[in-house]
Structures are given as structure tokens and as C-alpha cells.
Amino acid sequence: GLTNLKLMVPFCRRLDEARRVLDAMASHGLGRGSGPKGNGLQVYVMCEIPNNVLLIDEFSELFDGFSIGSNDLTQLTLGVDRDSAIVAESFDERDPGMLKMLKLAVEGAKRNGRHSGICGQAPSDHPEIAKYLVELGIDSISLTPDTVLRTMRALAEIEAKRL
């Protein structure tokens, strides 16, 4: 009977996997949308695999919103394990390829009328990433508690320039 929930599907690799997950959820009374089984339920997907970004239009047909997982998306885009002492130095969310992935994800979500947010270390570790995302028009940004005030100050500069 709860109608104020949004469910998040993690690490959804392919469109057929998305359909199977949504079908399984619907078979248990968790149907997406406003149909007989949907009850207005919104289902978001973690956008943390390059395939989610490359096929954002197709994933938008299946999901109501996207939460960009910057940690996994960076690892998979750059082919690097951030926890490995051997290659961790190559992990950088500010890499031009990653910035392009973020742009494609946010713009794709907007183009399809879908919510876009980010949950990952990138905006907390790098205020310039938070600024970049706001300039792109992202809907929400998750931050670690110790960076909220610093990031809010940095983002206030963007808002002041818009006025």
C-alpha cells in the first residue's frame, strides 16, 4: 500500500536483463507505472555501466530515472580498479572520457524526460565535477556529509552567475 517509494535497480547490464528484472518485480506486485499492477511505482536504474550510457534512450523506455554511479562508471570506462595498488593511480573521474560519459548520461536522461542524479564520490571529491553536473542540468547530487557545505558554496557561484 505504500505509494511514495522509488525502487532502484543496481548494475543492470543489458536491456533484456532490465526487462527480466521488471517482469519479476511486476510478478510480485511491484509493477512500474500506473497500470493495474503499477500503482504509480517509479523504478530507477543505476547508470554505472558504459552500456547504460550508450543505450540511455532505450533504458529510458524501461526506467523512470537514473542514478549515475560515478565510482563504477569510472572504473568500467577507464578499465581500472580503483582499489588496486597497481592501477589505482589511473582512476580519475575528471578524465575527459568520463566527463563525456557524464554529459551523455545527463543529457540523455533530460532528452527522455527522466530524472538524473549522481551517487558516487566524484562530486564530493571534486567540486568542479559538481559544478559541471549542475551546468549540465542534473536533477540531484549526493554528497558525503563532510563536503556538503563546501560543495554548496561552490555551486552557489554558478547560481549567482545565472542571475
Side-chain angles (χ1 to χ4, degrees):
L2 299 175
T3 59
N4 62 343
L5 299 177
K6 290 183 175 90
L7 299 183
M8 180 82 66
V9 175
F11 218 81
C12 187
R13 297 165 194 84
R14 301 179 53 201
L15 295 168
D16 64 330
E17 182 178 43
R19 289 184 195 97
R20 287 194 318 270
V21 167
L22 293 170
D23 288 346
M25 289 171 52
S27 74
H28 292 284
L30 296 171
R32 174 180 168 247
S34 58
K37 294 184 179 182
N39 199 21
L41 179 66
Q42 289 190 1
V43 181
Y44 287 16
V45 66
M46 290 295 300
C47 184
E48 54 195 345
I49 300 169
N51 203 36
N52 301 140
V53 177
L54 295 172
L55 297 178
I56 194 120
D57 295 322
E58 292 83 353
F59 277 101
S60 290
E61 293 174 14
L62 302 171
F63 294 103
D64 301 295
F66 298 89
S67 183
I68 301 166
S70 64
N71 299 344
D72 286 335
L73 187 58
T74 301
Q75 289 188 121
L76 294 169
T77 298
L78 299 179
V80 61
D81 178 358
R82 69 184 180 140
D83 296 323
S84 167
I86 298 170
V87 293
E89 69 206 28
S90 295
F91 181 89
D92 188 352
E93 298 99 328
R94 299 164 298 179
D95 181 86
M98 257 315 291
L99 295 177
K100 177 99 181 213
M101 291 296 261
L102 294 171
K103 181 177 182 178
L104 291 171
V106 173
E107 289 179 348
K110 288 177 73 75
R111 179 176 59 250
N112 287 284
R114 299 296 186 234
H115 176 91
S116 65
I118 188 164
C119 61
Q121 285 298 121
S124 294
D125 291 347
H126 310 289
E128 65 270 26
I129 296 270
K131 286 182 181 181
Y132 178 69
L133 291 166
V134 168
E135 289 168 352
L136 291 173
I138 199 163
D139 296 307
S140 64
I141 297 176
S142 296
L143 298 166
T144 58
D146 61 321
T147 65
V148 171
L149 292 177
R150 179 191 75 201
T151 306
M152 286 177 62
R153 285 187 197 113
L155 296 178
E157 294 173 19
I158 294 172
E159 293 302 317
K161 289 178 185 175
R162 288 184 182 172
L163 301 176

